[in-house]
């Protein structure tokens, strides 16, 4: 088991370090650069959306405290464009709503 973990770690390190080692030697086309701009938001959405919308299979959708706190965080971001304000307001809203409900 430790050997498998070690090999997976090595594979992960090689694939992630590959771009830093040879990245300047292999130019990326404009289409690839444009597509790579969407990778971070897509990954963030893939992680957050299933957590915010906990729909049971065959059941009705329901809203959770996490979804309401996320709405507060989005509104704060739209007004301030501050990452720290988003984190503080989202967590503060989550804790406050969880305490009230």
């Amino acid at each position: 088991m430790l050997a498998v973990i070690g090999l997976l770690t090595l594979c992960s390190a090689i694939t992630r370090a590959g771009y830093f080692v040879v990245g300047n030697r292999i130019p990326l086309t404009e289409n690839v650069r444009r597509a790579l701009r969407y990778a971070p938001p897509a990954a963030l959405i893939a992680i957050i959306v299933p957590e915010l919308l906990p729909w049971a299979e065959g059941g009705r959708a329901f809203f959770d405290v996490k979804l309401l706190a996320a709405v507060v965080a989005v509104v704060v971001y739209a007004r301030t464009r501050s990452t720290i304000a988003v984190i503080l307001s989202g967590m503060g809203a989550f804790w406050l709503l969880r305490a009230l409900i």
Side-chain angles (χ1 to χ4, degrees):
M1 187 59 120
L2 289 176
V4 170
I5 292 172
L7 286 173
L8 288 173
T9 302
L10 182 64
C11 289
S12 179
I14 289 171
T15 57
R16 292 169 192 251
Y19 182 74
F20 292 115
V21 173
V22 295
N24 292 334
R25 296 187 182 125
I26 301 172
L28 297 176
T29 65
E30 188 57 35
N31 288 339
V32 172
R33 288 180 191 269
R34 199 170 335 125
L36 286 175
R37 277 187 238 154
Y38 295 105
L44 188 62
I45 288 169
I47 293 169
I48 290 176
V49 167
E51 184 67 28
L52 292 180
L53 302 175
W55 295 359
E57 185 175 334
R60 292 184 15 219
F62 63 94
F63 293 103
D64 196 5
V65 172
K66 292 181 274 188
L67 181 61
L68 296 175
V71 169
V72 169
V74 167
V75 169
V76 168
Y77 180 74
R79 299 187 132 242
T80 66
R81 302 282 191 216
S82 168
T83 304
I84 298 297
V86 168
I87 293 169
L88 293 176
S89 65
M91 288 307 297
F94 175 73
W95 289 332
L96 180 67
L97 290 169
R98 191 172 65 173
L100 293 175
I101 293 178

